Amino acid sequence: MRFLTLALTLGIASSSILAATPTAAESVNLYSSRKEALMRPLLDAFTEKTGAEVRIVAASGGQLIQRMIAEGEYSPADVLLTVDAGNLWRAADAGMLQSVDSKYLLSVVPSDYRDPGNQWFGLSLRARAVVYATDRVSSDSIATDLGGYIGLAAPVWEGRVAVRSSGNIYNQSLIAAVIANFGAERAEQWVRGVVGNLARPPSGGDRDQIRAVAAGEADVAIVNSYYYALMLGSEESNSIGNTAIYFPTDDQMGTHVNVSGAGVARYAPHPELALAFIEFLASPEAQSLYAEINNEFPVHPDVQPSGEVAKWESFTPDDVPVVEFGKLNADAVRTADRAGWK
Ligand code: FE
C-alpha cells in the first residue's frame, strides 16, 4: 500500500501502475456526512483507479463523531469526511483522528484550510455569503450600504435580515471568525445588532432564508454559497429570479470561507488506503468532480470552479485560518446565547 500512496503523491498514478497494485480485496470505510448519492461518482472513480472499494456510512458530522467515540479502538472507520472546520476540529479534539505525513496534501491544500497538526484537510470551499433582493437592494450600492458582515448590524437593515438558528455550526463558525477579526466585545455587539435586525425568528435551513428573500419577507439572507448555486441550477431558479449573491468584505475582514474536509480515523484499520483516498479527493481529477457535485469552490489552487459558481465575481477570502473556528466555537456559542440569537 505504501506504493499506492506514493504514486498518488507524486501525481504519477497512471492506471497501468496501479493495476499492478494488489488492492482488489481491500476496502476503505468512509464515515461521511455527505450523502452516498453525492459521493458515488467520486467513490467509483477511486475504485476504478485503485481496485479498492469504498464502503460508506452516512450520518451527520456530530453523529459520526459520537459513533467513533463509542466504537473506540474497534471502530471500522478509516476516513471521516464532513463539513465545516468546526466539526473537523471537534473530531480531532476528541482524539478521533490521526496526524498523517503527506507531502501531496501539504502541497495542494493551502495552510489556512487544514489542521496545523495534519489531522484533517479541507477538500472544498464555501463562502458564507449574502443573498439579497435586487428589487429592494441595489447591486450598485450593496458594497457601500452593507460592506462587510459588521454592516448587517447597522440600523439601515432593521427588520430586513434572514438567517437560520445559531445552533447551526455554519453560524457558530461565522461568529468565531467575527471574534477573531474584531475581538469578543465587538463581536457580541454585532450579534446583538444582527438579532435586532432580523425580519423573523430564525427557522429552517439556508435555502429557506433565500426563499424568504425571494418572497419579500426579508431583504438580505446570510447563507452558504453552494445552496444558492444549487437553487440557481434547479427548477427553483425562476422563483428566486429577483435575487443576487454578494460576498461581504470590509477593510478588516474578508469573506468568511469554510471547508468540507476529511481526516484519517485514529483507529483506522486501513490507514494507508485511507490516506490514499484523501489524497485522491485532493487530486485535480477528483477536485473538479467534487466541487461540481457540491457547487463548491475547489481547494486545489489550479482547479477552476464550474457551473453557476464560475459566473460569480471573485472575492477576498478572510485570512483567519479555519482551525480558529474550532478553537473559538465555545466562545461563539456563548456569545450567541448571551445576545439572544435563538
Ligand atoms: Fe450545508
Side-chain angles (χ1 to χ4, degrees), residues 87-285:
N87 280 328
L88 292 159
W89 184 89
R90 274 180 202 169
D93 191 53
M96 289 300 112
L97 299 178
Q98 60 174 284
S99 182
V100 299
D101 183 10
S102 168
K103 284 198 179 72
Y104 183 71
L105 290 175
L106 293 181
S107 73
V108 299
V109 181
S111 59
D112 280 354
Y113 299 130
R114 51 178 156 85
D115 171 40
N118 300 327
Q119 295 196 57
W120 49 264
F121 297 83
L123 293 169
S124 65
L125 307 175
R126 64 276 297 283
R128 195 136 182 84
V130 161
V131 168
Y132 63 98
T134 49
D135 46 0
R136 300 184 298 282
V137 180
S138 158
S139 308
D140 297 330
S141 65
I142 186 157
T144 46
D145 290 350
L146 179 59
Y149 298 91
I150 284 291
L152 289 162
V156 66
W157 298 105
E158 189 181 349
R160 303 172 73 186
V161 179
V163 68
R164 75 199 294 177
S165 147
S166 71
N168 179 267
I169 195 149
Y170 304 152
N171 286 332
Q172 294 168 8
S173 289
L174 175 59
I175 296 169
V178 172
I179 293 173
N181 275 283
F182 295 94
E185 205 172 311
R186 184 115 191 260
E188 188 165 334
Q189 277 170 17
W190 173 72
V191 177
R192 286 184 196 283
V194 172
V195 170
N197 283 346
L198 291 181
R200 54 176 202 171
S203 75
D206 281 5
R207 274 171 285 195
D208 297 306
Q209 316 311 315
I210 296 170
R211 291 179 189 122
V213 168
E217 289 172 53
D219 293 344
V220 291
I222 308 170
V223 297
N224 280 358
S225 51
Y226 55 87
Y227 289 115
Y228 191 57
L230 180 74
M231 289 170 79
L232 289 174
S234 78
E235 30 191 63
E236 267 192 280
S237 62
N238 283 334
S239 61
I240 58 165
N242 63 331
T243 63
I245 191 165
Y246 171 70
F247 299 97
T249 311
D250 58 30
D251 293 345
Q252 203 164 333
M253 178 175 174
T255 300
H256 177 65
V257 171
N258 209 320
V259 299
S260 84
V264 176
R266 166 84 171 276
Y267 302 108
H270 316 98
E272 292 176 345
L273 195 55
L275 179 55
F277 179 65
I278 297 173
E279 289 177 337
F280 169 74
L281 291 179
S283 70
E285 173 197 354

Side-chain angles (χ1 to χ4, degrees), residues 6 9 20 39 62 71 73 80 104 109 128 172 176 186 188 193 211-212 242 267 284 288 297 308 322:
L6 187 65
T9 301
M39 295 302 294
E71 290 167 342
E73 61 185 301
L80 173 69
Y104 183 71
V109 181
R128 195 136 182 84
Q172 294 168 8
R186 184 115 191 260
E188 188 165 334
R211 291 179 189 122
N242 63 331
Y267 302 108
S288 302
F297 303 94
E308 294 296 334
V322 299

